Amino acid sequence: GFSSNQQSPNVSPSATLAMAGVYTLTVIDGNGCSDAANTTVVVNSLPAASAASNSPVCEGESLDLTGGPSGMTSYSWTGPNGFSSNQQSPNVSPAATPAMAGVYTLTVVDGNGCSNAANTTVVVNSLPAATASSNSPVCEGESLDLAGGPAGMTSYSWSGPNGFSSNQQSPNVSPAATPAMAGVYTLAVVDGNGCSNSANTTVVVNSLPTATAANNSPVCVGESLNLSGGPAGMSSYSWTGPNGFSSTQQSPNVSPSATLAMAGVYDLTVVDGNGCSNSANTTVVVNDNPLVSIIPDPGSTCTNQDLLVLSAVSGGTPPYDTYAWTGTGAAYLDATDVPATNFNSPFS
């Protein structure tokens, strides 16, 4: 239904496909004479531009754009962070960053010179801030615990020495750590966007010191009683024992004069430079001394007699290993391994 009485009219500032076809111009000159001419108008359809991406992606993943349709004369992408490309489907980056998120625009031009544009919004999710720690250094035999973060992750995955694995956020490796549990533990976390990150922590398990305890027993009542502790170089030594004994010396003297009450078990606890402790014990034996008295035989004490009878009367638990008699007479006798009965030694 188009009509116009202008010499060179504008059919429309925005052509449509319905405007294509034959246009006829009729002109009339000053003499009233007229003539007509035709022109065929072609209105080409715009190309159906399309723009897409592989987002949402996680930080560090590849970010790719997809443009269409195929067969265009040119493609022109623009986007955040100064991005531009004339490829149909470019790779924005093999390792996306949050700065690459935003709207990307593709302009395509077809063989008719007609252009169209399309947009796609890219989402780049930041990685979760994984954290890994432990309560180490610990001593052998103590509880070994790991602590993971952040909270609220979809999954947690720990791996470590000695075949350790766990899907707990903060697991207990063992209630009694061993040196084999020392080393690097790795935690991988996955958030609600499917993005993952990892962190490491190094665990130290200190071996226990090798405590030793000894003494110089068996000793007799009245002799010096000494304890001997090890190893050397410990941060502290702590002895306890019978009769309320205690000492912080490595190798203390219990007493310069032992008593029967000092017999028994003595315990030593040592602590090394790592704060690890161990203990050992030693058993002290204190032997009682024999009680010996010499009783002259009343019937043999007269002067000028050739025989003097002496009796060794002993306390304790006979028989004794050795009896040794000495005297000021012209002769005396030593006896060994004799019964615990009267022993007679003649003197001249």
Side-chain angles (χ1 to χ4, degrees), residues 74 149 192 232 255:
S74 69
S255 174

Side-chain angles (χ1 to χ4, degrees), residues 13-87:
S14 180
T16 65
L17 295 178
M19 296 174 186
V22 177
Y23 286 75
T24 301
L25 171 62
T26 301
V27 298
I28 300 173
D29 63 13
N31 296 313
C33 298
S34 65
D35 202 3
N38 297 325
T39 184
T40 300
V41 167
V42 176
V43 179
N44 293 310
S45 298
L46 297 181
S50 63
S53 74
N54 65 329
S55 90
V57 296
C58 298
E59 184 178 357
E61 294 180 342
S62 182
L63 175 56
D64 302 298
L65 300 175
T66 303
S70 298
M72 295 292 99
T73 301
S74 69
Y75 300 87
S76 178
W77 284 95
T78 59
N81 209 29
F83 176 77
S84 65
S85 174
N86 57 9
Q87 298 179 46

